[in-house]
Amino acid sequence: MKFIGLFKSRYPGVVLRGMGMGAADVVPGVSGGTIAFITGIYQELIESLSRIGPHCFTIWREQGLSAAWKYINGSFLLSLFLGVLISIFSLARVISILLQEYPILVWAFFFGLVLASILPILRNIPRWSPSTIAFLLLGVTLAIALSELRPGEIPATPLTLFLSGALAICAMTLPGISGAFILLMIGIYPKVLTAVHTLQITNLLCFAAGAALGLMLFSRLLSWLMHKYIARTLAFLGGILLGSLKIIWPWKLPMDNAEGVSTKLAPLLSNTSPSNFMAQTGESAHIGAAITVALVAVVLVLAIDYFGGAQRGKSCATPQ
């Protein structure tokens, strides 16, 4: 199989988008789906993923591997996930270090990123109606409700790992909801990390199987919704992004029952004002620097939206 398509003009850009998605997924509270939406490839990603299933194997048998590869938009998916992997093994490590050393600035950057991304999404809603507004408010309510949850604890059994994998991948697919955040909330995140570090093959297979099934089913649902109910679906996703701003507010303090936790773990922190942050910690709130990096993120998103408007308009167009 010759992946000549990878070297066409658009695919290096797709790799870069994948790197952005991988870097975002490092931060519990930020979704790679948000980056996909900002950069105008969200619907193409959902459409491509929704085609992976029994039918593509039928095409493979009847028409050959090349036809099946084209049917699932394989060059696009390969480029995107190549970018995600590159990010995981390089850029994501840098983001993780920055999150430990400069948490306020990292949160501020993602806050500006998500805030600016709401405008292009809402602008692409083809028509507004009372039901559209209702779905926007529903998305806001869902995201805020998730932010108010507190970490739980569930045992790592094959069934819970399978269900956790399915739940995490569904959350990761939605802009504004982080799969890592959900895993932290249900208390399975440390157990998944332990399974990875100690190579617990059975546990990893259960988690991966749940993620694979969840991805295939949920991508089909999202694809159907984007075709049938584009206005309400975009409004709901925009509402989730708007509500998720509460999760990624830059100034955070440990909750009363979570002293000494890492500033990386958003579910174990509560939002506060910059002045209270300084009073409680004795540290600088870096207000000027936080506003600066947030504005940089806003300009970056608006620039991407401006130069990629044609592609986003195509992917968000009302289906036939």
Side-chain angles (χ1 to χ4, degrees):
M1 185 70 182
K2 296 181 179 180
F3 302 113
I4 297 176
L6 290 176
F7 301 99
K8 292 181 179 179
S9 58
R10 73 171 301 225
Y11 292 112
V14 175
V15 173
L16 290 176
R17 289 169 171 85
M19 292 177 65
M21 291 174 64
D25 280 326
V26 173
V27 185
V30 182
S31 169
T34 302
I35 305 301
F37 222 127
I38 291 171
T39 55
I41 60 170
Y42 185 76
Q43 187 161 352
E44 184 176 3
L45 173 60
I46 296 302
E47 290 285 343
S48 301
L49 290 174
S50 69
R51 293 184 178 185
I52 299 176
H55 186 59
C56 73
F57 292 102
T58 301
I59 295 176
W60 185 352
R61 288 196 306 269
E62 295 177 353
Q63 303 178 37
L65 180 58
S66 179
W69 183 259
K70 184 177 180 180
Y71 173 73
I72 66 170
N73 202 5
S75 294
F76 166 81
L77 289 176
L78 182 60
S79 300
L80 189 68
F81 290 118
L82 175 63
V84 172
L85 289 176
I86 291 173
S87 183
I88 288 174
F89 289 104
S90 58
L91 182 61
R93 180 177 177 84
V94 176
I95 296 291
S96 183
I97 293 173
L98 290 175
L99 191 58
Q100 294 290 349
E101 299 295 328
Y102 308 102
I104 291 176
L105 300 186
V106 174
W107 287 117
F109 178 80
F110 282 108
F111 187 91
L113 207 67
V114 173
L115 178 64
S117 70
I118 295 170
L119 179 61
I121 292 173
L122 298 184
R123 192 179 64 238
N124 278 297
I125 294 176
R127 57 192 174 277
W128 285 90
S129 66
S131 64
T132 305
I133 297 173
F135 274 88
L136 174 68
L137 296 176
L138 179 61
V140 172
T141 302
L142 174 62
I144 293 178
L146 287 174
S147 73
E148 291 297 324
L149 296 176
R150 292 296 175 254
E153 184 75 21
I154 62 174
T157 66
L159 178 59
T160 58
L161 286 168
F162 179 86
L163 295 175
S164 298
L167 181 62
I169 202 68
C170 291
M172 194 176 298
T173 306
L174 287 173
I177 300 182
S178 164
F181 181 91
I182 296 298
L183 292 178
L184 280 167
M185 297 309 304
I186 62 178
I188 205 72
Y189 188 74
K191 300 176 178 66
V192 174
L193 288 183
T194 300
V196 172
H197 293 154
T198 60
L199 291 179
Q200 299 174 8
I201 303 300
T202 301
N203 287 345
L204 289 176
L205 288 176
C206 291
F207 185 83
L213 180 62
L215 185 61
M216 284 194 297
L217 295 179
F218 196 62
S219 62
R220 281 168 168 75
L221 174 61
L222 277 179
S223 177
W224 180 77
L225 289 172
M226 294 290 278
H227 279 82
K228 296 286 291 184
Y229 306 102
I230 181 71
R232 279 168 280 188
T233 302
L234 286 178
F236 179 72
L237 296 178
I240 289 177
L241 280 177
L242 185 59
S244 72
L245 290 174
K246 183 177 184 297
I247 298 174
I248 54 177
W249 175 253
W251 293 277
K252 301 175 181 294
L253 291 172
M255 296 187 305
D256 293 338
N257 59 347
E259 293 295 334
V261 299
S262 168
T263 52
K264 182 178 178 179
L265 305 180
L268 301 180
L269 303 170
S270 59
N271 293 341
T272 189
S273 66
S275 59
N276 190 52
F277 177 87
M278 289 188 291
Q280 293 292 325
T281 65
E283 301 175 3
S284 172
H286 303 290
I287 299 175
I291 293 175
T292 300
V293 297
L295 289 176
V296 168
V298 168
V299 171
L300 177 63
V301 171
L302 295 181
I304 291 172
D305 178 59
Y306 177 79
F307 290 109
Q311 182 177 357
R312 184 179 291 107
K314 180 181 177 180
S315 61
C316 291
T318 305
Q320 299 282 330

